[in-house]
Amino acid sequence: MHTHTTVEPLIDDEYTGEPPAKRLLAYLQDQRERGAKIVGTYCGYAPAELIRALGLVRASLCAFSNATIEAAEEVLPANLCPLVKSSYGFIMKDTCPFFAISDAVIGETTCDGKKKMFELIADRKPMHVMDLPQLPDEPEAIDDWAAAIRKVRRFLESVFGLTTRDDRIEAAIRETNAKSRRMNEIFEYAALNPPVIGWPELYDALFLAQGASGDDMAPILDGVLKKLETRKRDGYVYGPKGAPRVMVTGCPLGGDSLKVLHLIEEAGGVVVALDACSGMKPYANMIEEDTGDPVRAMAARYLKIPCSCMTPNDRRLTEMDRLIEKFKPGAVVDVVLQACHSYSIESIKVGKHVQGTHGLPFLKIVTDYSQSDVGQIRTRVEALLEMCRQ
Ligand code: SF4
Ligand code: SF4
């Protein structure tokens, strides 16, 4: 039996129990009422510290709902990643509150689906697409990405009539690092065996943290940490006794694709590590402080994000080693959104690494935002967890 239903929620406010998007939207609306301008972004590579240094607020526009897929498929090919279809469907139907409150949009040349979708929405808001180098180990990559950040800096300055000072970017870097440290402290409670935090609460904090500033998050995260410490002291355990620990890696997850995480729990497992842009990835590396060139320091850190759009993406495996070492999962599940070729192909390497180097059971799940494959995923997850129990 899961014991988490009886304890005090980690973030205790009027949105507790609601989808985390509501809390984030309320935060953004509040920022807007205070006069802040909003910049919509789609990706972990979006230069958050630059946005913050300009006094702007970031809203993530990646959508996770099946509800808009049908409308999107009237225009887009059906065999396209559901994240792209869902995001575009919301914009098409004019029903994305995050897009609606965005005053400008930043995209990056990551996967083809996103890149080409940006063209379709470019006339709706002031938009800038950053040219992301995709060979991160080449010596010129950092110069190119720093140049791309300087270019988007000029775009934002001109759209909003602002100027950024390097010392403000430096301050934003310190703020990001402080947020990352707090997030990593929270992750420690998932690393405990047995864990004292479950993925739904982790996900709540992660969802809010990707939009809210470090300063605004600080008291919330400190409150979460205090409660976690109390839980630990009181001997609270999340999940059933001896539950197999699962690490989930792959494409960003949210909304309807969270079905996979629910299914892992329903099958008796506990998800202890979320290795995705919607999970722990954004907090894996600190940005170097006081280098004298904060834009370059940002560029260096962002290029370390192990996204499958990069080639080679060896950092993904190195990062998995670190996570496996830390969270000690008994199995790894790689969730690939349908038609996401880069994550799908990379899954071959990931699976070999997990099984070969770490000797762990591995399951690749290719899915979309519909509920049609729930039965099939359940059977496969149950079989995986059975292997952990043997
Ligand atoms: S998985 Fe890659 S493309 Fe998607 S948000 Fe993360 S960095 Fe961006
Ligand atoms: S999941 Fe894959 S195809 Fe979909 S937006 Fe992300 S990188 Fe692109």
Side-chain angles (χ1 to χ4, degrees), residues 81-84 110-111 113-114 251-252 307-308 337 339-343:
C81 157
L83 194 154
V84 176
T110 51
C111 63
K114 273 192 184 165
C251 295
C307 176
S308 67
L337 294 176
C340 175
H341 301 315
S342 56
Y343 273 99

Side-chain angles (χ1 to χ4, degrees), residues 117-139:
M117 179 192 67
F118 296 148
E119 291 177 24
L120 302 184
I121 59 171
D123 56 345
R124 297 187 182 226
K125 303 266 180 187
M127 172 171 234
H128 179 91
V129 179
M130 300 177 75
D131 188 2
L132 179 71
Q134 304 204 343
L135 275 62
D137 305 326
E138 293 301 308

